[in-house]
Amino acid sequence: MNATRYIASTARATGSVAARRSTAAARSITTIAAAARPTRASRPSASIAAASSTSRGVKTLDFGGSKETVWERADFPKEKLHKIFAKDTFAVLGYGTQGFAQSLNLRDNGLKVIVGVRKGGHSWEAAKKDGWVEGKTLFTIEEAAEKGTVLMNLLSDAGQKQGWPALKPHVTKGKTLYFSHGFSVVFHDQTGVVPPKDVDVILAAPKGSGATVRSLFLEGRGINSSVAIWQDASGEARDRAFAMGVAIGSGYLYETTFEKEVHSDLVGERGILMGAIQGAFAAQYDVLRAKGHSPSEAFNETVEEATQSLYPLISKNGMDWMYANCSTTARRGALDWAPKFYDATKPVFEALYAAVEDGSETRRSLVENSRPDYRERLEEELRVIRESEMWRAGKTVRGLRPENVK
């Protein structure tokens, strides 16, 4: 459709503030994507200090008719974080996408941090490149767990199951066991992860990849995250959980439960955030190609216009605002067809939620991600996507974006 051209002409003809905002939003998305590349920069930008002076704070807001309380970074300035965690050593266990981001953000916030990973592996070398020093701030997982008071279990879900027998002896009275996903604890019947009763068990789950957690922190903004308490042995777990959320780089936080976090997260990843969107992209692309449209046209009308023009508008001011800034023909068609897609997809989402809730998705994830040939199988699955005509066409289309033309 010609929604993009309509928005551009509106901006030229009327100087529309809304259209100009859409351009700014698109630039912002491009900036974030560039910053999210895993450069693993460890120095905070000057904007971090400036952002910490904001006067906004904890408040109750109306979310579509329901009242919810949110906490913001201003509720936990650096001096308060230092006071809360004055006696703590954060042991970040695992140095994947969340481990690297959260450990660097904690370090940049001036807190005492050590990293625990398998010695000699890829993550060990990556941590050394980021300035973690063997024997001082870089240890094996067991050594870091012994030294730490806040044990941040950021291993993969399958890794947490496999590593729990070695970690458990170090989860001793008075310590805090921290997660960024409720998977292992909620599905303990499958993972075996059952924390002892004399430790706090908390969660701060960033709503985005580790690369985004890091890049938004460096921009002085912060990602949104959920916070939950599994058990409060100290009587201070709730306050410490929210403080942890800010310390790892969150801009604002909302409270949930371990169960709701893992259920919504697994549904979102398999659904509209990743699985459903790939399925829908591929289905529309294939129909257009079967009807004689060229690869470039099919990709532009399926993916490129969505990600580069329309999604930033939704992000900026919502779906209705995006509709209002498109042509009358595009708007009418979208309003008429949205209910049909709702009716077609809701049963799939209901089946997906049931599979998450009953643990069958957990079983599949643990089995598949624990296979000895996991990485080879994963690469083959990703290769099929990467080498499909749609995404090969996409690579050429992305190369034509003005910012990519050399």
Side-chain angles (χ1 to χ4, degrees), residues 96-173:
T97 177
Q98 288 294 337
F100 105 84
Q102 294 189 30
S103 64
L104 295 179
N105 292 354
L106 286 165
R107 186 172 72 180
D108 287 348
N109 270 325
L111 298 168
K112 186 177 180 181
V113 190
I114 59 176
V115 171
V117 292
R118 182 173 60 85
K119 188 171 183 178
H122 172 77
S123 294
W124 181 272
E125 297 304 318
K128 287 171 66 175
K129 290 179 181 178
D130 286 339
W132 304 103
V133 180
E134 182 176 353
K136 293 183 178 180
T137 56
L138 179 60
F139 303 92
T140 66
I141 291 175
E142 292 80 4
E143 289 171 337
E146 179 63 27
K147 295 175 181 295
T149 59
V150 179
L151 308 186
M152 300 174 64
N153 196 342
L154 299 179
L155 297 166
S156 68
D157 293 327
Q160 290 184 22
K161 175 183 178 179
Q162 294 167 354
W164 180 246
L167 176 60
K168 186 177 179 180
H170 305 291
V171 185
T172 53
K173 183 177 181 179

Side-chain angles (χ1 to χ4, degrees), residues 34-65:
R37 297 186 186 103
T39 58
R40 300 184 184 270
S42 59
R43 294 183 181 276
S45 66
S47 60
I48 296 174
S52 66
S53 63
T54 177
S55 60
R56 296 167 63 190
V58 62
K59 61 189 66 171
T60 300
L61 301 175
D62 187 317
F63 289 85

Side-chain angles (χ1 to χ4, degrees), residues 293-312:
H293 297 268
S294 69
S296 63
E297 183 172 56
F299 187 85
N300 271 288
E301 294 294 344
T302 299
V303 179
E304 189 73 353
E305 188 169 352
T307 60
Q308 298 303 296
S309 174
L310 302 183
Y311 290 175

Side-chain angles (χ1 to χ4, degrees), residues 296-364:
S296 63
E297 183 172 56
F299 187 85
N300 271 288
E301 294 294 344
T302 299
V303 179
E304 189 73 353
E305 188 169 352
T307 60
Q308 298 303 296
S309 174
L310 302 183
Y311 290 175
L313 301 188
I314 299 170
S315 175
K316 188 71 175 178
N317 280 315
M319 186 68 74
D320 65 310
W321 191 80
M322 185 270 277
Y323 280 7
N325 280 277
C326 291
S327 70
T328 56
T329 302
R331 184 163 59 240
R332 182 69 267 149
L335 290 168
D336 289 345
W337 278 87
K340 301 178 191 297
F341 283 108
Y342 177 90
D343 291 341
T345 59
K346 189 180 179 185
V348 179
F349 285 108
E350 289 174 335
L352 169 58
Y353 197 98
V356 167
E357 195 171 33
D358 69 17
S360 56
E361 277 297 306
T362 296
R363 284 188 290 277
R364 173 166 173 76

